[in-house]
Amino acid sequence: MTVKDQAILAKQAATLLAIASTGAKNDALAAIAKALDEHRPQILTANAKDIEAAKAAGMEAGLLDRLTLTEDRITSMIQGTREVIALEDPVGEFVSMSTRPNGLVIGKKRTPLGVIAIIYESRPNVTVDAAVLCLKAGNAVVLRGGKEAIHTNTALMSIMRDALVSTEIPADALHLVQDTSRESATALMTLTGLIDVLIPRGGASLIRTVVENTKVPVIETGVGVCHVYVDAAADLQMAAEIIANAKCSRPSVCNAAECLLVHKDIAEVFLPKAKAMLDAYKVELRGDEHTRQILGACVVPAGPDDYDTEFYGYILAVKIVDSLDDALAHIRAHGTGHSECIVTDNYTASQHFLNAVDAAAVYVNASTRFTDGGMFGLGAEIGISTQKMHARGPMGLRELTCTKFVIYGNGQIR
Amino acid sequence: MTVKDQAILAKQAATLLAIASTGAKNDALAAIAKALDEHRPQILTANAKDIEAAKAAGMEAGLLDRLTLTEDRITSMIQGTREVIALEDPVGEFVSMSTRPNGLVIGKKRTPLGVIAIIYESRPNVTVDAAVLCLKAGNAVVLRGGKEAIHTNTALMSIMRDALVSTEIPADALHLVQDTSRESATALMTLTGLIDVLIPRGGASLIRTVVENTKVPVIETGVGVCHVYVDAAADLQMAAEIIANAKCSRPSVCNAAECLLVHKDIAEVFLPKAKAMLDAYKVELRGDEHTRQILGACVVPAGPDDYDTEFYGYILAVKIVDSLDDALAHIRAHGTGHSECIVTDNYTASQHFLNAVDAAAVYVNASTRFTDGGMFGLGAEIGISTQKMHARGPMGLRELTCTKFVIYGNGQIR
């Protein structure tokens, strides 16, 4: 079956899904959770094949860890599915409804997007997480995972589709693209009219490739060069704790901080304080000349790309700025519109930063690591949008829907 | 100056516009309205040049009419500008705000999109309407109109930019691309990172070209193959009035009906009734075999494309269907997701149609001609989106914004 054939089947299923009741969708999710639980050995066997192949190919430890499923990780996929059942169904919600002077009653109602395609890399839990979220919001999905996880993904998809057979939701609501070549990704990007939205989840190069080549609407996710700016009026202890947390609590994720901007007036006092906390995690600092004057030769001179890099590890770029406006200009030039933070106790500075920074999430006095669907109270998330259209920031169920106007008339003509 | 140079200047202006007060933006719009009023002769002179060239090139009457400005049409552009001043500023509105268990206060706040590019065809009023709406929503614009209106557009842009000089809003918030070749449109489509949203306004082929070639986010507008389905349980007099209005009140616009679907049970009674009303406008009917059996040889046999065509004139495709489900299947296959109507007095049929049809606007017992920002109570509109992402249906000021999360903390780390 070609990718297009799968998309056609998904489109047909989407028509049924769009009018499925919340109960029918929840029953389908419960069937998926139960089937995953019952087929744990099958999942682990398939995963072992992927891991063996990955080891043979010399995959690095970090990627290998992402690829690996364990009993606990399967439990957490099942648990995740049950949590989505508990979330409110966004479909059918009326965003607004009012009566016009001519008697027309006009409502704006949430409906599913239709068919969502997701292109992702190694982590096989995305296969379940994404399928379950899309399905709850009434969408069919076409998933295209990475080559390295193909056995695991195939097993998971087969279990989920089989689970749907006994429910009111058609199995064709869920598809996995078997071909993991570049061609299948390109095929998805050109299925105008069949794929309503394409969401790439992965590294910067995957996302750039999709954005530059797609002919279907895309939601750009995840690239995060996030800054923490420590203002002249900051509580320096709080600032040190925030940058240590933003950099070190999980450096491999997109909401981790990559760059520390420090106001010149407090740099001499603050930088040694921050360094002491970052040293506990063996963070490598890459700084400008002024930073090196204060902290010494342990700071690597920042190269031309260091202020534009998502390090995914214990490396932090550092720069001393002359003013809040300098910090804003740096963020404008180097930020990716993900999450930006000011640490300050100055009211005017905090308000100006919140207003002037153009990003999905703008913080005063809190770690950028909170940019997350769960932390923001949206429930599970499908990803973090760094674009402005449709959705911006963590995307939950509601962001997987669109609206339509429904108009109740009694013969009105214009 | 290249298109890219203009976009860079627009991006810089957008940074200032994003934090401009509503008062400053309204003052700028008032200055524009005043300047347009004061420069009427200059506008008419420039327009006369375009008309002369168009006549020499043998432009057809309909297009020539769209290109022509008169004192009344200038008044209406000025009036439109003043109406936008009166509309509520969407920027700064909080869509939601709440306190999380950890004390973080998280708000979702409307902000401008940034730089909006618009590619459009002959009508010069778009130059003013679009500039004014985008500016009120805090966006800079790069406008790329058609070759045939270049003198008029240049005059309008020059008047508007000059008007901004005396205000707090930078003149570089507004740009007109002077090069009207295909290359300048292509250039706009590739300015990733500079153009936040591109809106094509015009015929199907312009929109298709943009959607298929753009590398920047697009909002698809305007193509409308809209249906009126007359159900077995319809009030036939109401149905005839609705189809006559939907087809004939302004056939050149996208919310006009192109196809009449009739339930077989009432076709013999209804079709002659509808024909009588449509005859008053000399509407040419293109029907299936069954329709021709009922109405006779005055109905042209429908060709293979007639059910997929936006006629922009007094032509109507007609088809008799066996059931509501048949009508839904036809709309699924041939609709463009714009506006769809059922005429019925059956409750279940009306609800099923509203739920099942996947379009920007779905009507029961009212003309599709109401799909319009003004009619829906949104104020002026920038266009009608027929896509699902970001905005769907008439787009007013709010649809020219996005949101960002603002987070007030007091030292929270994760």
Side-chain angles (χ1 to χ4, degrees):
Chain A
M1 199 157 33
T2 66
V3 176
K4 186 174 178 180
D5 292 337
Q6 292 185 299
I8 291 169
L9 291 174
K11 192 83 181 172
Q12 289 164 358
T15 304
L16 298 172
L17 257 176
I19 53 175
S21 69
T22 305
K25 291 186 288 187
N26 283 344
D27 288 349
L29 297 188
I32 285 173
K34 183 157 170 279
L36 291 171
D37 199 18
E38 287 169 357
H39 293 81
R40 286 169 178 263
Q42 189 182 329
I43 298 168
L44 291 171
T45 306
N47 189 242
K49 274 194 214 171
D50 285 329
I51 291 168
E52 195 183 342
K55 280 183 178 160
M59 182 183 276
E60 60 147 304
L63 288 175
L64 204 58
D65 177 59
R66 288 185 183 201
L67 179 60
T68 305
L69 288 184
T70 59
E71 286 286 355
D72 276 1
R73 286 181 178 182
I74 295 175
T75 301
S76 122
M77 291 193 294
I78 295 165
Q79 189 50 34
T81 304
R82 296 207 167 114
E83 282 165 13
V84 172
I85 294 174
L87 293 176
E88 203 179 340
D89 187 350
V91 173
E93 180 196 351
F94 277 79
V95 177
S96 64
M97 189 144 189
S98 64
T99 305
R100 299 291 303 154
N102 63 0
L104 284 180
V105 177
I106 303 186
K108 195 172 178 182
K109 186 186 180 187
R110 275 196 197 288
T111 60
L113 284 164
V115 179
I116 298 178
I118 301 175
I119 300 181
Y120 54 110
E121 293 174 333
S122 54
R123 292 192 303 158
N125 64 306
V126 173
T127 309
V128 174
D129 296 351
V132 158
L133 273 170
C134 289
L135 208 146
K136 173 84 184 217
N139 301 289
V141 279
V142 181
L143 300 172
R144 195 282 203 178
K147 183 184 162 201
E148 61 289 348
I150 187 68
H151 293 102
T152 316
N153 288 341
T154 303
L156 291 170
M157 181 53 76
S158 150
I159 293 164
M160 291 194 291
R161 283 180 59 105
D162 287 351
L164 290 185
V165 171
S166 63
T167 74
E168 286 177 45
I169 304 300
D172 276 333
L174 304 179
H175 294 270
L176 178 74
V177 175
Q178 286 293 328
D179 171 10
T180 56
S181 70
R182 186 178 293 257
E183 284 67 36
S184 71
T186 308
L188 276 176
M189 296 180 216
T190 55
L191 293 174
T192 315
L194 289 173
I195 304 293
D196 292 291
V197 179
L198 173 59
I199 305 177
R201 283 187 58 165
S205 86
L206 166 69
I207 291 165
R208 201 175 317 116
T209 305
V210 171
V211 169
E212 288 185 0
N213 294 290
T214 185
K215 296 187 192 304
V216 303
V218 160
I219 299 181
E220 212 174 315
T221 63
V223 178
V225 175
C226 307
H227 300 77
V228 173
Y229 164 61
V230 182
D231 188 45
D235 173 329
L236 301 187
Q237 178 63 26
M238 182 195 284
E241 282 167 17
I242 285 174
I243 185 61
N245 181 266
K247 176 73 260 179
C248 307
S249 60
R250 201 168 166 204
S252 63
V253 295
C254 59
N255 58 21
E258 309 299 344
C259 181
L260 171 64
L261 299 171
V262 181
H263 192 286
K264 66 173 168 37
D265 290 356
I266 45 92
E268 284 198 38
V269 184
F270 175 67
L271 280 173
K273 208 176 187 73
K275 183 173 182 301
M277 295 194 85
L278 293 162
D279 276 350
Y281 298 91
K282 300 196 172 62
V283 175
E284 176 186 325
L285 302 180
R286 300 190 183 172
D288 61 345
E289 199 39 49
H290 192 172
T291 302
R292 297 187 75 226
Q293 279 166 20
I294 294 172
L295 291 180
C298 63
V299 176
V300 179
D305 293 336
D306 283 326
Y307 294 112
D308 295 294
T309 300
E310 204 173 356
F311 295 111
Y312 297 117
Y314 294 97
I315 304 173
L316 180 67
V318 185
K319 190 179 170 187
I320 295 174
V321 295
D322 287 343
S323 64
L324 170 55
D325 281 336
D326 266 11
L328 291 170
H330 181 96
I331 291 170
R332 221 165 20 244
H334 302 279
T336 54
H338 194 295
S339 301
E340 307 294 355
C341 165
I342 183 173
V343 186
T344 190
D345 209 27
N346 181 284
Y347 175 79
T348 303
S350 71
Q351 297 299 310
H352 185 53
F353 191 86
L354 287 175
N355 286 331
V357 172
D358 187 22
V362 192
Y363 292 82
V364 178
N365 295 348
S367 170
T368 55
R369 289 275 293 107
F370 286 105
T371 305
D372 171 278
M375 290 290 144
F376 278 12
L378 310 175
E381 73 175 32
I382 193 89
I384 296 173
S385 163
T386 51
Q387 72 177 31
K388 296 184 184 177
M389 269 182 56
H390 189 71
R392 200 176 190 197
M395 296 186 288
L397 286 174
R398 214 172 256 181
E399 287 69 33
L400 295 175
T401 66
C402 61
T403 57
K404 69 178 175 190
F405 286 100
V406 296
I407 301 102
Y408 297 87
N410 50 14
Q412 282 85 347
I413 57 174
R414 187 176 169 189
Chain B
M1 198 158 31
T2 68
V3 176
K4 187 172 177 181
D5 292 336
Q6 292 184 299
I8 290 171
L9 291 174
K11 192 81 182 173
Q12 288 164 358
T15 304
L16 298 172
L17 257 175
I19 53 174
S21 70
T22 304
K25 292 186 288 187
N26 283 344
D27 288 348
L29 298 187
I32 286 174
K34 184 157 169 279
L36 291 171
D37 200 19
E38 288 169 357
H39 293 81
R40 286 167 179 265
Q42 187 181 332
I43 299 169
L44 291 170
T45 306
N47 190 241
K49 276 193 211 170
D50 285 330
I51 292 168
E52 195 183 341
K55 279 183 178 159
M59 183 182 276
E60 60 147 301
L63 288 176
L64 205 57
D65 178 58
R66 289 186 184 201
L67 179 60
T68 305
L69 288 184
T70 59
E71 286 286 355
D72 276 0
R73 286 181 179 183
I74 295 175
T75 301
S76 122
M77 292 193 294
I78 295 165
Q79 188 51 35
T81 303
R82 296 206 168 113
E83 282 164 14
V84 173
I85 294 174
L87 293 176
E88 202 180 339
D89 186 349
V91 173
E93 180 194 352
F94 278 79
V95 177
S96 64
M97 190 145 188
S98 64
T99 305
R100 300 291 304 155
N102 62 1
L104 284 180
V105 176
I106 302 185
K108 196 173 177 181
K109 184 186 181 185
R110 276 198 197 287
T111 59
L113 284 164
V115 179
I116 298 178
I118 301 175
I119 300 180
Y120 55 109
E121 292 173 336
S122 54
R123 293 192 303 158
N125 64 307
V126 172
T127 309
V128 174
D129 296 351
V132 158
L133 273 170
C134 289
L135 207 146
K136 173 84 183 215
N139 301 289
V141 280
V142 181
L143 301 172
R144 195 283 202 177
K147 183 184 162 201
E148 62 289 348
I150 188 67
H151 293 101
T152 316
N153 289 341
T154 302
L156 291 170
M157 181 53 76
S158 149
I159 293 163
M160 291 194 291
R161 282 179 58 105
D162 287 351
L164 290 185
V165 170
S166 63
T167 75
E168 286 177 45
I169 304 299
D172 276 333
L174 304 179
H175 293 269
L176 178 74
V177 175
Q178 286 294 327
D179 170 10
T180 56
S181 71
R182 187 179 293 257
E183 284 66 37
S184 71
T186 308
L188 276 177
M189 296 180 216
T190 55
L191 293 174
T192 315
L194 290 173
I195 303 293
D196 292 291
V197 178
L198 173 59
I199 305 177
R201 283 187 58 166
S205 86
L206 166 68
I207 291 164
R208 202 176 316 116
T209 304
V210 172
V211 169
E212 288 184 359
N213 294 290
T214 185
K215 295 187 192 305
V216 303
V218 160
I219 299 181
E220 213 174 316
T221 62
V223 178
V225 176
C226 306
H227 300 78
V228 172
Y229 164 61
V230 182
D231 188 46
D235 172 330
L236 301 187
Q237 178 62 25
M238 182 195 286
E241 282 167 15
I242 285 174
I243 185 61
N245 180 266
K247 177 73 260 180
C248 307
S249 59
R250 200 169 167 204
S252 64
V253 293
C254 58
N255 59 20
E258 309 299 343
C259 180
L260 171 65
L261 300 171
V262 182
H263 192 286
K264 66 174 167 38
D265 290 357
I266 46 90
E268 284 198 37
V269 185
F270 174 68
L271 280 173
K273 208 177 188 68
K275 185 174 182 302
M277 295 195 83
L278 293 162
D279 277 350
Y281 298 90
K282 299 196 170 62
V283 175
E284 175 185 324
L285 301 179
R286 299 189 183 173
D288 62 345
E289 198 40 47
H290 193 172
T291 301
R292 299 187 73 226
Q293 279 166 20
I294 294 172
L295 291 181
C298 63
V299 176
V300 178
D305 293 335
D306 282 326
Y307 293 113
D308 296 293
T309 300
E310 204 172 356
F311 294 111
Y312 297 116
Y314 294 96
I315 303 172
L316 180 68
V318 186
K319 190 179 171 187
I320 295 175
V321 295
D322 288 343
S323 64
L324 169 55
D325 281 338
D326 266 12
L328 290 170
H330 181 94
I331 291 170
R332 220 164 20 243
H334 302 279
T336 54
H338 194 295
S339 301
E340 308 293 355
C341 166
I342 183 173
V343 186
T344 189
D345 209 26
N346 180 284
Y347 174 80
T348 304
S350 70
Q351 297 300 309
H352 186 52
F353 191 87
L354 287 176
N355 287 330
V357 171
D358 188 21
V362 193
Y363 291 82
V364 178
N365 296 346
S367 170
T368 55
R369 289 275 293 107
F370 286 104
T371 304
D372 171 277
M375 291 288 144
F376 278 12
L378 309 176
E381 73 175 33
I382 192 90
I384 296 172
S385 162
T386 52
Q387 72 178 30
K388 296 182 183 178
M389 268 181 57
H390 188 72
R392 201 175 188 198
M395 294 185 289
L397 285 176
R398 216 173 255 181
E399 287 69 32
L400 294 176
T401 66
C402 62
T403 58
K404 69 178 175 189
F405 287 99
V406 295
I407 301 103
Y408 297 86
N410 50 14
Q412 283 84 349
I413 58 173
R414 187 174 168 191

